[in-house]
Amino acid sequence: MSRFDITKTNLAVERLIEITDNPRHLYLLHAYNRHRYLEMAGRWKEIFDPEMTVAHPVYHFNVFGINTVLDGAEAVQAVYNEWAATGQCIFYVDDEKLAVGDNTICSTAAIYQQTPGVILAEAGADVNTDATYLVKNVEHMIWPYDDQGRLVGEDVWEIDESQREIIELDPSEVLTIEQSSILLAPLIKPLPARTF
């Protein structure tokens, strides 16, 4: 049995949804919530529905010593596809703090991303290539949205490398995409009607 519960990853988002009255902000929070659950369930293709994401999103990542720009849907989709194929779309969040504005959601949290040891070894980590790990980073995220509430991109950066941890998982704690999809299916809700 895992110490981690993927169904609790979006608790901070759901708490903020409960107390948000502004229709525009509420819509963005629902979109953010849906996006993250779809990603963790391996259902990333649904994220690119034109109702949710602009045609040409741009992502900026500065995490684990890698600084990269994913420019356009094809580049972003390639990463989501790789993460789903390797289980890296499975992540857990601790101590998330959120703020929502008319065109932005900002988050600070400890993120635990499930990652195969072979991938970490290729990045230079001294790990068992046959094991699976959680890579913990303390991250800031800024997600910009357009005036229709569609995601424009993601800006994600690790704010303190000294807090990075690589935690080996017991095989019983490794979550498969199939398991994640089943656990998250009841939590993946359609977007509400847009009233702005």
Side-chain angles (χ1 to χ4, degrees), residues 3 18 21 27 29 58-60 65 99-100 105 121 123 153 160 162 184:
R3 295 167 280 173
E18 290 174 5
D21 295 325
Y27 183 89
L29 288 167
V58 178
Y59 284 37
H60 301 91
V100 59
I105 291 180
D160 185 354
S162 72
L184 296 177

Side-chain angles (χ1 to χ4, degrees), residues 13-31:
V13 186
E14 291 163 351
R15 287 184 185 128
L16 190 52
I17 285 171
E18 290 174 5
I19 61 169
T20 299
D21 295 325
N22 179 300
R24 183 180 186 83
H25 297 179
L26 191 56
Y27 183 89
L28 295 188
L29 288 167
H30 279 293

Side-chain angles (χ1 to χ4, degrees), residues 32-63:
Y32 182 78
N33 198 42
R34 177 175 168 78
H35 177 121
R36 291 198 347 183
Y37 278 142
L38 287 170
E39 181 178 343
M40 292 184 295
R43 292 168 49 182
W44 60 267
K45 292 179 182 176
E46 294 172 62
I47 292 168
F48 294 90
D49 182 308
E51 184 180 38
M52 286 191 65
T53 304
V54 298
H56 192 100
V58 178
Y59 284 37
H60 301 91
F61 289 127
N62 191 346
V63 179

Side-chain angles (χ1 to χ4, degrees), residues 7-136:
T7 67
K8 307 294 186 201
T9 297
N10 283 2
L11 275 183
V13 186
E14 291 163 351
R15 287 184 185 128
L16 190 52
I17 285 171
E18 290 174 5
I19 61 169
T20 299
D21 295 325
N22 179 300
R24 183 180 186 83
H25 297 179
L26 191 56
Y27 183 89
L28 295 188
L29 288 167
H30 279 293
Y32 182 78
N33 198 42
R34 177 175 168 78
H35 177 121
R36 291 198 347 183
Y37 278 142
L38 287 170
E39 181 178 343
M40 292 184 295
R43 292 168 49 182
W44 60 267
K45 292 179 182 176
E46 294 172 62
I47 292 168
F48 294 90
D49 182 308
E51 184 180 38
M52 286 191 65
T53 304
V54 298
H56 192 100
V58 178
Y59 284 37
H60 301 91
F61 289 127
N62 191 346
V63 179
F64 203 59
I66 299 168
N67 190 352
T68 190
V69 177
L70 306 176
D71 191 354
E74 187 174 319
V76 175
Q77 289 170 0
V79 169
Y80 280 129
N81 187 49
E82 178 187 345
W83 284 358
T86 59
Q88 291 178 86
C89 65
I90 306 290
F91 63 92
Y92 308 95
V93 173
D94 189 32
D95 195 29
E96 184 168 25
K97 295 170 182 62
L98 286 164
V100 59
D102 287 349
N103 291 90
T104 310
I105 291 180
C106 298
S107 167
T108 299
I111 307 288
Y112 298 77
Q113 183 176 17
Q114 185 174 280
T115 309
V118 67
I119 291 173
L120 291 171
E122 289 170 2
D126 182 18
V127 295
N128 175 357
T129 56
D130 294 325
T132 300
Y133 294 82
L134 289 181
V135 178
K136 175 192 173 190

